[in-house]
Amino acid sequence: MMIIQPDGKLHIYQGVGNIGTLSVFDTARVAAEHLDMPWDQCEVIWGSTLKHLPWSSRQGGSQTIHANSRANLAAAMDMKLKLQEIAAKDLGGRPEDYDVSNGRVFRKGNSGSGLSFAQAAKRALELGGKYDGHELPKDLSVITKESAAKLAGLGLMGVVSR
């Protein structure tokens, strides 16, 4: 589960903790790479269910890497599509006319024509529904739904269906 907040930063919520291998961060980098987001603009949230973390696989070596890297990629893919949809709504064209890189969503071939992630997050809050987490996929785990519901309305939300 992840949120781009109106400050433009990507917050990646991890269901696994840091057991000393730093895999909690390694698996989060997959999301940053898919969105071509500078790592210094990302925050990884982990460690306590009080932080509204998504449901995750148990933590155990290769299972952690496989399951959580894949989940972060799927949530980033969801977020990228939402960014493209928001840009198309506001700037015209189709979602596939837009690309995402360096904290911006922009028309392919014209990186100057687009929105910053901060602008897109603010627009997501105005649009509501699936964009800010008030409408969630029906097949999410109960724990992830409850976590997302508590975070809804903070910005542009990307979640993965299970």
Side-chain angles (χ1 to χ4, degrees), residues 1-4 10-13 31 35 52-55 70-82 129-141 143-153 155-162:
M1 185 169 60
M2 55 196 65
I3 298 172
I4 296 175
L10 176 64
H11 297 250
I12 306 164
Y13 290 78
L35 295 169
H52 313 299
L53 304 176
W55 181 254
R70 171 66 182 102
N72 285 322
L73 175 59
M77 291 168 68
D78 178 59
M79 182 165 279
K80 182 176 180 178
L81 178 59
K82 289 174 181 170
K130 72 176 185 175
Y131 296 105
D132 75 345
H134 280 97
E135 291 176 18
L136 298 168
K138 294 185 186 342
D139 59 348
L140 288 178
S141 75
I143 293 172
T144 302
K145 278 184 187 178
E146 289 173 359
S147 293
K150 289 177 181 165
L151 296 170
L156 177 65
M157 185 177 287
V159 294
V160 58
S161 299
R162 298 243 181 217

Side-chain angles (χ1 to χ4, degrees), residues 16-153:
V16 295
N18 182 6
I19 58 171
T21 62
L22 300 178
S23 62
V24 66
F25 301 103
D26 294 339
T27 60
R29 286 191 75 96
V30 173
E33 289 176 16
H34 185 73
L35 295 169
D36 197 16
M37 180 72 158
W39 187 241
D40 65 349
Q41 293 297 305
C42 300
E43 183 175 337
V44 179
I45 296 93
W46 59 275
S48 168
T49 55
L50 293 174
K51 296 177 183 178
H52 313 299
L53 304 176
W55 181 254
S56 180
S57 66
R58 69 174 183 79
Q59 199 158 348
S62 60
Q63 181 61 32
T64 304
I65 296 299
H66 166 76
N68 289 284
S69 294
R70 171 66 182 102
N72 285 322
L73 175 59
M77 291 168 68
D78 178 59
M79 182 165 279
K80 182 176 180 178
L81 178 59
K82 289 174 181 170
L83 285 163
Q84 292 168 309
E85 289 173 354
I86 289 169
K89 285 177 187 295
D90 285 8
L91 304 172
R94 300 167 302 158
E96 57 268 19
D97 295 338
Y98 291 87
D99 207 351
V100 171
S101 179
N102 200 27
R104 292 185 49 76
V105 55
F106 54 88
R107 195 174 291 276
K108 291 179 181 175
N110 184 4
S111 61
S113 175
L115 303 168
S116 69
F117 279 8
Q119 291 170 314
K122 289 173 188 164
R123 185 69 173 117
L125 291 171
E126 293 169 6
L127 292 169
K130 72 176 185 175
Y131 296 105
D132 75 345
H134 280 97
E135 291 176 18
L136 298 168
K138 294 185 186 342
D139 59 348
L140 288 178
S141 75
V142 172
I143 293 172
T144 302
K145 278 184 187 178
E146 289 173 359
S147 293
K150 289 177 181 165
L151 296 170

